[in-house]
Structure formats: C-alpha cells, structure tokens
Amino acid sequence: MDRDYQAFITACVLASVGITINIIGIIIHAYVPILLKHPGSLLLMQIFCQTVYISHWLFSFPSEFENISNSTCIKIAIYSTIFYYASWVYMISLCIEIYIILKYKAYSSSKIRIIFYNIFAFLLGISLMLMYYLLDYLGVSEIGSCFVKINTIGEHIDGALNLSLLLSLLFSYYLVRKQLGCCYGPAFRKLSKVVLVSCVTKLLSRAAVLVVFIQRGNSEHIAAYTIILGSSATIIWGTSAAISRSLHPKVIQKIKGLFQKKNQMQKALIIENEIESEEIINNILSLTLDKEDDDIGDAFNNISHQILIQILVLLTIRFKDEKQISENIHKTFKNLNKNTINLVYSENRFNLLSQDLKMHFITKIYRPDLSLYEYYPNIFQCIKASTEFTKDILIESLLTYENLKALINIDNKGGRSNSFFYTSVNQKIVIKTITEEEKTVFMKFLPNYSKRVIKYPESKLVRILGLFQILPYKQDFIIMENVIPYKDTCLIYDLKGSVVDRHVSGIDSINPPTGIVLKDMNFESWGHKIQVQNPSEIIENIVDDMKLLKKHKLMDYSLLLGIYQDPKETTRYFISNTHSVCIIDFFQRYDMKKSLERFWKRHVLRKDDGISAISSDKYFNRIVKYFNSIVEIVSISEEIQEKVNDKYLEISIEESV
C-alpha cells in the first residue's frame, strides 16, 4: 500500500510540473501575441485543455485510500473526460488545418473552420462524458485517476476511441508531411515534430495501459507501476505543445531583451537610389528566400513572398522564350489541340537567366520540381495582342531590380480570399493568386470572355493576360492589366451595390484617404457622384459586359472605381478625365455554397436587403440600378439626355421582367 501511495504522490508531482509548464505556455501566448497567428489559436486551445485534464491528478486518489468519495471522483471524471477528448480534437484539427491551407489555399473560410473545430472538440467531449456518466462508467481508472472506471465496458470503449484517435492523428501527420514535400520551411517542420512527439508519447501511454491490462492480477503492486507509467506518458503528451511554444525563438528573443541591453539597434534596410548592387538585392531576398520562419503563422504570411519571387523568375523565362504569333481568336478556338502546357525549365536555363540579368540569386531559385502550368496560352496571346501588351512590356514588368525592391512592402493579405497581389513598379500589370474554384469558373467563362474583350475594346471587363499554376505548390494565379495605376494618387472604391459588410471602418468617409480600397457605404457617406458627359454610351458598354456575366450565372463581381485629380496616365477604363471604372473579380457562380451563404445571412443573421450572395439575375439588376444612381450627367445636349433616358427606361423594363 505504501508503494502505491508513493507512486501516486509521484504522479501528483509530475502533474504539478505538467500544469506549471502548460500555464507558462498559456501565459507566453499572451506575452507574445504573434503566436496566436492562425492557426496558433488551435495550439493554445490544445494546451488549455491539457492543463485542465492534467489537473485532475491533483484531485484524484485511488478508492483504496478512501480519501475521496465516489461521487467526488465522478465529478472530477466529468471534466477530465471532456477536456481529454477535446485536446485530441484540437491536435488533429491543427494538422487538418495546415493540410487544408497548404493544399487548397482556403484562407477565406479559416474563421468558419476554427468555429467548427471548437464546437466539435467540446461536442465530442461532452457527448462521450454523458454516455459514460449515464452508463455508470465514470470512476477510478486503470491508472488510478478519476476517469473511465476500471473493469467496465467503458474501459474498452475508451481504448477503442484512443486507438481511433491515435490513428487519425498519425494519418493527419502523414498528410501534413506529404504535403510539405521539399517546398516548405522550418516552421512547418517544427510544428510537425510537435505532432510527432504527441503521437509517440500517446502511443507509449496506451502501450503502458495495455501492458498493465494484460498483467492485471499478476502483481499486488501493479497499481504502482500503472500510476507511474500512465501518468508519466500522459504528462509528456500533455506538455509537448506547451514546451515547444515556451522554447519558441520569438519567446526566447523577447526574454533576452529583458535581461540585456540592446547593443545595436537593427538598422532599417535603406536603398540608395543610385546603387543597384547584388548585395542590396540579396539583403532584400534574405527576408524571403533565406529566412527561416519562426512560427507557422509567419510561414503562411511569408510563403507568398517566396512563391512570388519564383513566379517572377519563371514568368521571365517563359516570356523571354515566347514566340510572337499573331492568330485570329476564332482560329485559335478551332485549333485548341492542347489547352494546357507544363513549362519545365532546366537548371542551365536558370543559370543563363542569372548571367543575362546579372542576378546571381536566380540560381538559388532552381528546384527540380519547380515548374509552371499555363492554361490556354494561345487564347491569352490573342488577348495580349488586342491590348498591345508586347513581350518587352511584360518582361519589363517582371524581374527587375525595382520590382524586387518593391517586394519588401507587399501586403499579402488581400480581400476575403486572402489572395496576395503584386503590382509591377511600371504600373502595367498585377499578379493575383486565385483559388482552384475560381480558376474552374473562369476557365468555363474564358471563351466568351476573350471574344468580348477582343471584339469590343471599349469593354470595361478587366483584361486578364494569363492563367497559370506554379508547381509543386499548386498555387493558381493570373496576370491582369493594372486598372488603377498609381493608386496612391487616387480615391478607390470597390462597389457592389450592397450594404451588408460593405463599409471600411476607421476611415473618415467624408474626407476619404487616397490609395485605400473603400466600399459602398464609404462612397455613400462621401456624397459625390461620377460625373461624365456621355453616360449613355458608358452605361451601355458596362451593362453589356454585365449581361455576359449574368448569362454565365456569375455574380459577386465589383465595379472598381478610381477617382483622380490629375492622373499621370490614362487607361482604357477611364470614362472621363478623372474617373476610371472597371469590372473585376468575376470568378463566382451562384452555386450551392452561395445559396447557403444567402440562407445564413438572411435567416440566421437577419440581413435581407443588400447582401452580396444573391442569384446572378438579381445581382445584375441591383448593380446596374446602383450604377445608374451614382452617375451624374454634366454638360450634355438634349439629344444625349434623351438617349440616356431611353437607356434608363430599357434597364428599368429589364429589371421588372
């Protein structure tokens, strides 16, 4: 009995150490908030659940000691089972979330998934607790704690669940490791090691319980071995995540800063206008290519920089090798023998480009599995020809010293999809990442889209000049014409004719700042309208563009409005000397997903009027009506005014139909 008592005291000491480590892990997340970057919050919740679960050791005693009543042990078992199974779910969810983001680039729905993970974690824990409680399976466990009662069917159910959860965790770990391949940095690998430690320690824990179960009855002191083995493995499993966060490089760096003076302030990267040296470029690239991300949240942010540099290199090679072939768009559609080509370049091709541009870092870019998929190259070549985008203009917009310098200031978080944007320094092109779903929608729309923009130069649909996918990341992206050049000099509004979630807060809408993309409610607060002299022609062109979008059941697109005082240059999208209008983001179909979004906003959030998730017909009618309402006619003759009124009447009739 003394040996068993000493063993349990040992377990309580181990539990105290484990709780302390976990509490430190929780405090560290508050001390270094950057650790909460998505998906760091899942790790925090896993640590919290383990803290609560491990604490049950401090309140549990084997029933032989008669220091705790059965009812009290059941109460302790209630919370320990809930948080025990919840901690499992959070660790598995962490792996699943990393896999989803790496494979599907599903940033936009991450908040919804986080809510689902939290609900499922505690729903599973509470459901299992209720089952054990109602069937009287809660009490003193195999290893002497208050959990699932020994010698019950619940003990076998718990064993089967633990085995299933362990297999699920191992499979999730396998998926993450497989998706990582050779492309992702240390942060992902560090995190995968945390998961691996969890897998190993949990496996040891269950193996210890299995050994004790087999040997039960062969030793009068089997409880002592059980308590020590079970508690030790459980504490290690329960503190692995907290230990990894406590030893985080950013945490260590911040702690060091409290005890030592900063010998030297880190100097900001200053680029002399007259210097274009390889050393400076290498300093910039060290922030992207050579940087080892400390945390998984950093990795998700910085990975787009890495991919973007590789995209610039690959596209430069691609367009340098392009042969200018002038072909009619109709002939192109008839001769589409190969819609997609895989552009694989040898290491020698990278070396040649490096020598040609005198950028030696390009040799570091090369990887055997790095390549480009290009979709419908002949169609996009026709579009480029219609826009007078020459080979030289494209090359000048890609891999230059000026563009590399600009990488340092790129904000990778763009819009709801969290896609990243890159605007060339010469203000000619924009590179934007898109999702696989958006790519599929656009490819179906491409035939009619290309015919529209080629046949009608006055079309306000944004000109997309290429559709690609970079491998092995499987990241899709487009090259498109920059519709708002020198955006820092103009007011920008993304307009949908909607009022729900269409306001940028923290902005003085009455005196709006330049260079920031604002929304419908900001525009309404501003109180101005688009002043043009020939609204009839402009409205007709834009309505015809939108009719094409409606025909393909596309919705949720935007009118991007740029308002300049003195534009440095004008584009095909200018409708007056100071106003530019373009239709962008036409990659959404009204499908089941949008239908569910509409149901959620309308019936759950009680937001009926002005939501974006409506059918393509209703969306068309609403945005056309809205565009009419913000156009103001200035200095026109009665004849033009009559044409405008006729056009308004035509639209009103169509809306009523």
Side-chain angles (χ1 to χ4, degrees):
M1 185 69 66
D2 290 339
R3 293 179 62 186
D4 292 348
Y5 184 79
Q6 292 174 358
F8 194 82
I9 292 299
T10 302
C12 288
V13 172
L14 290 173
S16 300
V17 174
I19 291 171
T20 302
I21 293 173
N22 279 323
I23 290 176
I24 291 173
I26 293 172
I27 293 173
I28 280 171
H29 281 80
Y31 183 61
V32 188
I34 199 171
L35 298 184
L36 290 173
K37 276 187 179 180
H38 182 72
S41 59
L42 292 174
L43 258 182
L44 174 63
M45 288 303 299
Q46 198 272 344
I47 295 171
F48 171 74
C49 289
Q50 284 291 351
T51 305
V52 178
Y53 167 68
I54 293 174
S55 68
H56 86 283
W57 279 95
L58 302 181
F59 303 102
S60 302
F61 289 91
S63 59
E64 294 95 320
F65 301 141
E66 298 180 355
N67 290 329
I68 188 171
S69 65
N70 185 58
S71 61
T72 303
C73 191
I74 291 175
K75 291 178 181 178
I76 295 172
I78 286 175
Y79 81 78
S80 63
T81 51
I82 292 174
F83 287 93
Y84 174 75
Y85 289 113
S87 66
W88 269 109
V89 174
Y90 279 116
M91 185 59 74
I92 295 172
S93 298
L94 180 65
C95 294
I96 293 173
E97 182 63 15
I98 295 172
Y99 176 77
I100 289 174
I101 292 178
L102 292 181
K103 185 172 178 62
Y104 300 106
K105 312 297 184 295
Y107 298 100
S108 60
S109 55
S110 61
K111 291 182 180 179
I112 297 176
R113 291 196 301 273
I114 290 293
I115 294 173
F116 172 78
Y117 297 144
N118 285 303
I119 292 174
F120 182 73
F122 286 97
L123 186 62
L124 177 66
I126 292 171
S127 299
L128 291 173
M129 178 275 295
L130 287 174
M131 180 187 72
Y132 290 142
Y133 178 78
L134 295 174
L135 296 176
D136 195 27
Y137 291 157
L138 297 179
V140 179
S141 71
E142 178 71 55
I143 55 177
S145 64
C146 293
F147 194 63
V148 180
K149 193 185 298 183
I150 192 172
N151 294 323
T152 62
I153 297 176
E155 186 181 27
H156 300 288
I157 295 174
D158 176 62
L161 282 171
N162 274 270
L163 179 61
S164 300
L165 291 168
L166 180 60
L167 291 175
S168 299
L169 184 59
L170 288 170
F171 181 67
S172 301
Y173 171 77
Y174 164 76
L175 289 178
V176 170
R177 292 295 300 182
K178 182 179 179 182
Q179 189 63 32
L180 287 176
C182 66
C183 307
Y184 297 98
F188 293 94
R189 303 188 188 284
K190 289 176 186 175
L191 191 68
S192 66
K193 288 178 182 178
V194 174
V195 178
L196 181 61
V197 170
S198 298
C199 292
V200 172
T201 53
K202 194 58 193 172
L203 185 62
L204 291 174
S205 174
R206 301 319 299 174
V209 172
L210 182 61
V211 169
V212 172
F213 180 79
I214 295 173
Q215 295 295 325
R216 185 186 295 167
N218 294 338
S219 171
E220 62 178 355
H221 294 295
I222 192 66
Y225 305 132
T226 305
I227 291 169
I228 292 174
L229 284 172
S231 62
S232 299
T234 302
I235 301 306
I236 295 172
W237 140 261
T239 57
S240 58
I243 291 172
S244 70
R245 299 306 255 181
S246 301
L247 298 178
H248 194 284
K250 287 180 178 174
V251 175
I252 295 174
Q253 182 181 4
K254 196 162 185 178
I255 292 175
K256 283 182 178 179
L258 297 176
F259 297 99
Q260 65 182 21
K261 293 181 179 180
K262 294 183 179 180
N263 297 324
Q264 187 177 6
M265 295 294 291
Q266 292 183 345
K267 294 182 179 180
L269 186 61
I270 301 175
I271 308 226
E272 301 291 344
N273 293 331
E274 67 275 8
I275 299 178
E276 300 291 0
S277 68
E278 180 70 18
E279 181 181 357
I280 291 175
I281 296 302
N282 284 337
N283 287 337
I284 296 172
L285 296 174
S286 68
L287 297 173
T288 53
L289 294 180
D290 301 328
K291 182 177 179 180
E292 293 191 358
D293 303 308
D294 294 330
D295 187 61
I296 193 72
D298 289 338
F300 283 137
N301 285 341
N302 292 334
I303 198 169
S304 52
H305 280 101
Q306 299 173 23
I307 295 176
L308 185 51
I309 292 177
Q310 293 167 342
I311 286 174
L312 292 177
V313 172
L314 289 170
L315 287 177
T316 300
I317 297 176
R318 182 256 180 269
F319 288 116
K320 274 183 171 291
D321 294 346
E322 183 180 58
K323 296 179 181 179
Q324 293 291 113
I325 301 175
S326 178
E327 189 171 354
N328 183 276
I329 186 65
H330 299 288
K331 291 183 179 179
T332 299
F333 279 109
K334 291 180 181 178
N335 299 323
L336 286 180
N337 297 323
K338 196 171 184 181
N339 299 334
T340 306
I341 56 175
N342 188 14
L343 303 171
V344 182
Y345 300 110
S346 66
E347 185 175 7
N348 183 55
R349 188 67 187 86
F350 281 76
N351 292 335
L352 289 174
L353 182 65
S354 174
Q355 296 171 12
D356 183 27
L357 300 180
K358 296 181 180 180
M359 295 181 179
H360 302 302
F361 75 88
I362 293 177
T363 57
K364 296 168 61 176
I365 300 293
Y366 173 76
R367 287 175 178 171
D369 56 350
L370 190 64
S371 64
L372 275 180
Y373 259 113
E374 183 174 8
Y375 299 90
Y376 299 98
N378 293 335
I379 294 178
F380 287 109
Q381 191 171 57
C382 292
I383 295 175
K384 290 197 292 280
S386 71
T387 59
E388 299 180 354
F389 259 89
T390 64
K391 170 181 174 179
D392 292 336
I393 292 176
L394 284 169
I395 293 174
E396 289 172 2
S397 305
L398 297 169
L399 199 58
T400 65
Y401 281 102
E402 290 77 12
N403 287 332
L404 290 174
K405 290 177 189 178
L407 290 179
I408 195 69
N409 297 318
I410 288 180
D411 179 10
N412 298 317
K413 296 179 181 178
R416 290 176 300 174
S417 64
N418 213 31
S419 57
F420 64 82
F421 296 81
Y422 159 79
T423 303
S424 62
V425 173
N426 64 7
Q427 301 295 309
K428 296 297 183 182
I429 67 167
V430 173
I431 295 176
K432 177 190 175 184
T433 59
I434 60 174
T435 65
E436 186 174 3
E437 180 183 1
E438 289 173 332
K439 178 186 69 177
T440 302
V441 170
F442 179 55
M443 288 174 68
K444 291 180 180 178
F445 179 48
L446 181 58
N448 285 330
Y449 163 79
S450 58
K451 292 174 183 176
R452 170 72 183 169
V453 297
I454 291 173
K455 186 176 181 181
Y456 300 97
E458 67 275 10
S459 169
K460 300 306 178 186
L461 294 171
V462 61
R463 280 10 178 222
I464 297 176
L465 310 173
L467 174 62
F468 300 87
Q469 181 183 89
I470 183 171
L471 298 174
Y473 304 100
K474 295 183 179 179
Q475 175 64 69
D476 299 303
F477 67 94
I478 57 174
I479 303 175
M480 60 184 180
E481 189 173 18
N482 183 17
V483 301
I484 304 286
Y486 305 101
K487 67 177 185 178
D488 291 337
T489 65
C490 75
L491 301 177
I492 309 171
Y493 291 94
D494 182 292
L495 305 175
K496 295 178 182 285
S498 172
V499 297
V500 177
D501 299 327
R502 299 298 299 164
H503 179 263
V504 177
S505 59
I507 297 294
D508 183 0
S509 298
I510 298 177
N511 298 293
T514 59
I516 298 177
V517 180
L518 305 178
K519 298 182 180 180
D520 300 67
M521 299 304 292
N522 301 104
F523 184 77
E524 183 178 339
S525 299
W526 187 43
H528 291 251
K529 292 190 176 183
I530 304 174
Q531 296 183 338
V532 293
Q533 293 183 349
N534 55 342
S536 177
E537 181 180 350
I538 293 168
I539 291 173
E540 184 176 2
N541 291 336
I542 291 178
V543 168
D544 287 344
D545 287 332
M546 292 179 178
K547 283 181 179 178
L548 182 63
L549 299 176
K550 181 179 71 169
K551 179 181 178 181
H552 285 264
K553 300 188 183 302
L554 299 176
M555 41 75 68
D556 210 19
Y557 44 87
S558 300
L559 283 170
L560 189 64
L561 171 64
I563 305 173
Y564 295 81
Q565 283 190 341
D566 184 19
K568 294 182 180 180
E569 64 177 75
T570 59
T571 67
R572 73 183 79 251
Y573 308 103
F574 272 74
I575 58 176
S576 73
N577 293 332
T578 57
H579 292 78
S580 171
V581 174
C582 180
I583 303 174
I584 62 170
D585 293 341
F586 37 79
F587 301 131
Q588 295 288 337
R589 284 177 61 89
Y590 188 72
D591 51 14
M592 181 59 70
K593 179 181 177 181
K594 286 294 180 181
S595 179
L596 291 174
E597 180 184 341
R598 174 174 172 76
F599 177 85
W600 174 265
K601 288 184 176 181
R602 183 175 183 180
H603 298 287
V604 179
L605 301 181
R606 299 294 181 180
K607 297 179 179 180
D608 190 9
D609 297 329
I611 60 177
S612 296
I614 57 177
S615 68
S616 56
D617 290 344
K618 291 181 179 179
Y619 193 88
F620 166 82
N621 290 335
R622 188 181 70 193
I623 197 168
V624 168
K625 182 178 180 180
Y626 176 75
F627 183 64
N628 285 331
S629 70
I630 63 175
V631 173
E632 185 175 81
I633 308 165
V634 293
S635 302
I636 61 173
S637 65
E638 294 181 359
E639 182 180 354
I640 296 178
Q641 178 69 62
E642 186 177 349
K643 289 183 179 180
V644 172
N645 293 336
D646 291 341
K647 189 63 184 179
Y648 280 17
L649 180 60
E650 177 187 337
I651 293 170
S652 300
I653 293 173
E654 185 171 355
E655 288 177 6
S656 63
V657 173

